């Protein structure tokens, strides 16, 4: 049995912690901006911790920052409450994780997406470039304009891996295609600002972009909102030099509302989700049988990584500090194909994606990281 425990918020900004009578095994989970239900990175980490606790028993204590200055501030409190393992989600928590680990040598500390320091620490990091290459290949093959967008939260090494893999995948599929990259912010607020991301998406669409890949946390929801507001590009509105290719999705049924809004010579617009499966967010008419605007999602299986490390600690396995890497070869990275987007990725395309995945896993195809 697991527990998700709460304490009064007065103890710290948005602090959600365990009861005074701590469980035998406790996990402390400190989120980045966006919180537990961000439909992305934080949510995946929570799901992984909860799954492990469901199997081992114990309690999850969580800290949700409400503003940038709060990020990391709950980690010392999580450690002092008796957590056997404290996990900071996102690079912004890394300094606090490293500091808390030095002060609490008897506990284990983890940063998701960065590498903390100390013998009792682990960094859960991902080969984002591998899945991004697959997403880019798909975008390059399915784009009707040859104009493809990338919206990053912040220009950081981890986001550059997303971008580099995606650009390489697009060029592998479509040498003539262009990738336009933009960023939401210069601070970690870029991962929690859907309004700015929506504005960036609108500019990309105005430039003829028909597929946008997001690596921006909760900001990506703004891109999805813009795609919902503009589910197609029209030939009459394309910028100079941009022309439509044949419509790869002409045979996919459309809702009546979309048929009306996109009448005439038009092509659908798509987002590519990130971290968790966001395909369902592209089902704007609540009917999976009609055209979906989520082309796919690049799954960064933070849930699997967090699950594995919590299970290791809960079941007393030997501790191995340092970097733990997750990619296509070990269930850390994948593309999402489900009822919502299977009509957008026909069987021959899925077969090609599997061949490319095999080439990446066996080292034949080297994916850039910068």
């Amino acid at each position: 049995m697991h527990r998700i425990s709460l304490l009064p918020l007065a103890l710290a900004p948005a602090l959600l912690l365990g009861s005074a009578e701590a469980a035998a095994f406790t996990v402390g989970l400190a989120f980045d901006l966006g919180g537990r239900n961000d439909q992305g990175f934080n949510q995946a980490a929570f799901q992984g911790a909860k799954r492990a606790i469901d199997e081992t028993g114990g309690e999850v204590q969580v800290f949700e920052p409400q503003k940038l200055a709060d990020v990391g501030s709950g980690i010392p409190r999580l450690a002092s409450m008796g957590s056997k393992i404290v996990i900071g989600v996102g690079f912004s928590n890394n300094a606090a994780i490293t500091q808390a680990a030095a002060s609490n040598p008897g506990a284990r500390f983890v940063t998701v997406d960065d590498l903390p320091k100390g013998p009792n620490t682990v960094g859960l990091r991902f080969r984002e470039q591998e899945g991004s290459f697959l997403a880019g290949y798909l975008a390059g093959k399915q784009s009707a304009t040859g104009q493809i967008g990338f919206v990053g939260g912040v220009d950081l090494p981890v986001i550059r891996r997303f971008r580099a893999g995606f650009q390489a995948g697009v060029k592998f599929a479509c040498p003539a295609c262009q990738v336009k990259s933009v960023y939401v912010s210069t601070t970690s607020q870029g991962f929690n600002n859907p309004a700015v991301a929506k504005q960036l998406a609108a500019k990309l669409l105005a430039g003829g972009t028909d597929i946008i890949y997001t690596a921006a946390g909760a900001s990506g929801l703004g891109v999805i909102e813009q795609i919902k507001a503009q589910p197609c590009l029209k030939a009459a509105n394309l910028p100079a030099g941009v022309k439509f290719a044949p419509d790869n999705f002409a045979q996919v049924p459309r809702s009546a509302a979309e048929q009306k809004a996109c009448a005439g010579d038009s092509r659908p617009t798509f987002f590519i989700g990130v971290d968790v499966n966001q395909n369902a967010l592209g089902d704007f008419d609540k009917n999976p049988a009609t055209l979906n605007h989520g082309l796919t999602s690049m799954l960064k299986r933070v849930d699997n990584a967090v699950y594995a490390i919590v299970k290791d600690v809960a079941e007393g396995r030997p501790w191995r500090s340092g970097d733990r890497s997750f990619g296509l070869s070990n269930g850390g990275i994948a593309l999402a194909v489900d009822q919502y987007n299977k009509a957008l990725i026909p069987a021959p395309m899925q077969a090609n994606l599997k061949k490319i995945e095999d080439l990446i896993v066996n080292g034949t195809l080297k994916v850039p990281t910068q």
Side-chain angles (χ1 to χ4, degrees):
M1 181 178 178
H2 74 276
R3 292 189 293 169
I4 310 299
S5 300
L6 312 180
L7 280 184
L9 299 185
L11 291 177
L15 191 59
L16 309 176
L17 292 172
S19 60
E21 184 180 351
F25 180 79
T26 303
V27 178
L29 189 59
F31 296 119
D32 205 342
L33 288 175
R36 175 173 24 181
N37 298 314
D38 67 346
Q39 299 183 19
F41 209 56
N42 290 319
Q43 183 173 326
F46 178 75
Q47 289 170 347
K50 181 179 178 298
R51 175 156 51 106
I53 287 297
D54 282 344
E55 295 178 11
T56 64
E59 180 180 48
V60 180
Q61 304 172 338
V62 303
F63 172 76
E64 296 190 81
Q66 299 301 301
K67 58 183 184 295
L68 185 59
D70 294 339
V71 175
S73 63
I75 288 172
R77 181 68 169 166
L78 290 170
S80 72
M81 292 292 290
S83 298
K84 299 296 190 297
I85 178 171
V86 178
I87 302 169
V89 182
F91 72 94
S92 297
N93 278 301
N94 196 44
I97 284 288
T98 295
Q99 185 174 3
S103 302
N104 299 272
R108 306 300 188 209
F109 292 83
V110 177
T111 303
V112 178
D113 244 15
D114 210 341
L115 187 62
K117 297 177 181 178
N120 56 336
T121 71
V122 157
L124 303 179
R125 299 199 288 183
F126 297 80
R127 302 189 292 278
E128 296 90 356
Q129 68 275 7
E130 296 179 354
S132 295
F133 188 97
L134 297 178
Y137 177 85
L138 179 61
K141 287 295 187 184
Q142 299 294 61
S143 175
T145 64
Q147 305 297 309
I148 297 167
F150 174 84
V151 176
V154 185
D155 188 4
L156 295 166
V158 60
I159 303 303
R160 291 175 205 143
R161 293 198 294 274
F162 279 99
R163 184 190 64 200
F166 185 66
Q167 288 177 329
V170 169
K171 291 297 183 179
F172 189 81
C174 175
C177 287
Q178 301 296 317
V179 179
K180 173 68 173 178
S181 298
V182 293
Y183 296 90
V184 178
S185 179
T186 57
T187 75
S188 60
Q189 186 64 46
F191 296 105
N192 192 39
N193 197 334
V196 170
K198 184 177 181 180
Q199 294 170 4
L200 294 174
K203 291 179 181 178
L204 288 170
L205 294 174
T209 294
D210 63 336
I211 300 174
I212 302 175
Y213 179 37
T214 66
S219 294
L221 298 177
V223 173
I224 296 171
E225 282 300 311
Q226 185 57 39
I227 296 291
K228 184 176 183 179
Q230 191 175 345
C232 59
L233 300 180
K234 296 192 173 184
N237 299 328
L238 291 176
V242 178
K243 296 181 179 180
F244 282 148
D247 189 352
N248 290 328
F249 310 103
Q251 303 306 312
V252 181
R254 320 276 173 110
S255 69
E258 182 157 332
Q259 290 181 49
K260 181 178 180 180
C262 298
D265 192 8
S266 69
R267 299 291 185 273
T269 57
F270 300 95
F271 67 86
I272 296 176
V274 74
D275 295 338
V276 298
N277 187 350
Q278 297 180 316
N279 292 352
L281 299 180
D283 180 20
F284 300 147
D285 65 347
K286 306 303 180 186
N287 181 2
T290 57
L291 186 137
N292 192 64
H293 290 272
L295 183 59
T296 187
S297 296
M298 203 292 281
L299 305 181
K300 188 169 174 179
R301 297 303 303 269
V302 174
D303 56 334
N304 286 348
V306 169
Y307 168 82
I309 194 71
V310 171
K311 284 273 285 187
D312 281 354
V313 175
E315 296 178 354
R317 295 189 182 91
W319 179 257
R320 175 174 59 84
S321 63
D323 193 7
R324 299 197 188 183
S325 179
F326 296 85
L328 292 173
S329 64
N330 61 353
I333 295 290
L335 284 191
V337 179
D338 58 18
Q339 63 173 329
Y340 294 101
N341 71 332
K342 63 182 180 182
L344 309 177
I345 312 177
M349 181 71 71
Q350 292 187 41
N352 285 342
L353 288 166
K354 182 61 171 67
K355 290 176 182 177
I356 293 170
E357 179 178 339
D358 291 342
L359 290 174
I360 294 172
V361 169
N362 67 31
T364 301
L365 199 164
K366 305 292 186 183
V367 181
T369 59
Q370 294 289 333

